[in-house]
Amino acid sequence: MSERLHDYDSFQRALGQWVREVNNPDVTRCWRILRGCVTVHAMVDSEGDMAEAFRLAWQDVYEAFAGLSCTFVMEALVQDMLIASGGVGPPLLPVVDDAFNAASVPVQRSKAKVALRVVDGGE
């Protein structure tokens, strides 16, 4: 496993933004199905902590995109997204990697970067 996904909402929003930008009916349908299945996956695995269950489910989605060990369901859903997104631009995999990298910054580091920008007067 690679980095740990800290902010699954950020990861999901970035992918959703890409889906809206490519504006392809097949991609949009695959995305909606993937999100619904991730929700069910998290509900089944939650053991009372839905936030952690969602984080783990979206981590599994990333690992499927990265070709790492993942559940069979996520692998199939990701393959569906990849097939549907063939020929649309920008390509999906770099978007997934960028979204994961941004969402994998530990919350404390992310807050520290914002504080440093304010202190330095930067953006």
Side-chain angles (χ1 to χ4, degrees):
M1 183 161 70
S2 64
E3 291 277 325
R4 179 175 186 228
L5 180 67
H6 291 281
D7 186 355
Y8 67 86
D9 280 332
S10 171
F11 179 70
Q12 178 183 204
R13 275 192 309 272
L15 296 182
Q17 179 63 37
W18 175 85
V19 169
R20 286 186 295 281
E21 286 173 8
V22 300
N23 194 28
N24 176 290
D26 292 332
V27 171
T28 300
R29 183 173 187 274
C30 288
W31 175 241
R32 293 178 68 202
I33 291 169
L34 185 139
R35 284 184 22 233
C37 290
V38 167
T39 299
V40 172
H41 199 286
M43 290 170 63
V44 168
D45 291 344
S46 73
E47 297 181 13
D49 186 351
M50 283 303 294
E52 180 64 4
F54 271 110
R55 188 195 68 72
L56 290 172
W58 282 105
Q59 176 84 36
D60 204 30
V61 169
Y62 170 74
E63 290 173 359
F65 275 116
L68 302 171
S69 179
C70 62
T71 61
F72 297 123
V73 170
M74 295 306 179
E75 184 176 12
L77 292 167
V78 163
Q79 287 302 312
D80 199 35
M81 282 286 295
L82 291 170
I83 291 167
S85 69
V88 301
L92 176 55
L93 289 177
V95 172
V96 170
D97 286 339
D98 290 345
F100 183 79
N101 290 334
S104 296
V105 175
V107 175
Q108 297 81 5
R109 284 183 43 204
S110 178
K111 288 179 182 177
K113 286 181 181 179
V114 170
L116 285 174
R117 280 189 225 128
V118 171
V119 169
D120 291 341
E123 294 193 27

